[in-house]
Amino acid sequence: MNGGDEGAGRAARSRRADARRNEETLLDAAAEVFVTSGVEAPVRDIAAKAGVGVGTIYRHFPTRADLIIAVYRHQVEACAEAGPALLASSATPHAALARWIDLFVDFLVTKHGLAAVLQSGDTGFDTLHAYFLDRLVPVCAQLLDAAVAAGEIRSDVDALVLMHGVGNLCIGAERDTRYDARRMVELLIAGLRQPHLT
């Protein structure tokens, strides 16, 4: 490969990286707008939050369903990737688990905002729940296993059951503004500790 080809290759990779960053910015902005204003929020609000034109959003996501699916998948991936990173950077596995569950709660808040749309019968949404389970249950299990191995939590906790429990605790926040789902989830995670560590 000559110098010109190498330069063209670097430029193409740089453009792809820029496009990925721009798409991630759009998806993060859309998720924030969905949480505060619902999934039917005007596209112009998402564009303003992301600092782009409306046309840019439609170029990436031709339909609202495309955008919703992309937001959901983006958030699942962010949550999945955070697990190993938190395990590597936290003081203890239990601390990593607590921080990951906090991110999972943030994801669930957005997911609950999408719930009605996800159950709308649109076939594009059918595979999302399986995708969610396939990506996140193993991450939660890895964090639980590490905390068990460190002697920090009891050993009889199933990842899927824990995630269901956290999800159920988050549901109440939609109906009662005084309900503090995050505090309830903190109590649940604290309750996993071995008796000698509480």
Side-chain angles (χ1 to χ4, degrees), residues 10-33:
R10 277 195 302 275
R13 283 191 298 277
S14 177
R15 281 193 300 274
R16 283 194 299 272
D18 287 347
R20 274 195 304 276
R21 277 193 300 274
N22 291 342
E23 186 170 316
E24 287 176 8
T25 299
L26 283 176
L27 294 173
D28 289 338
E32 287 184 46
V33 172

Side-chain angles (χ1 to χ4, degrees), residues 118 121-131:
L118 293 173
D122 185 312
T123 56
F125 300 130
D126 289 347
T127 60
L128 289 181
H129 186 67
Y131 171 73

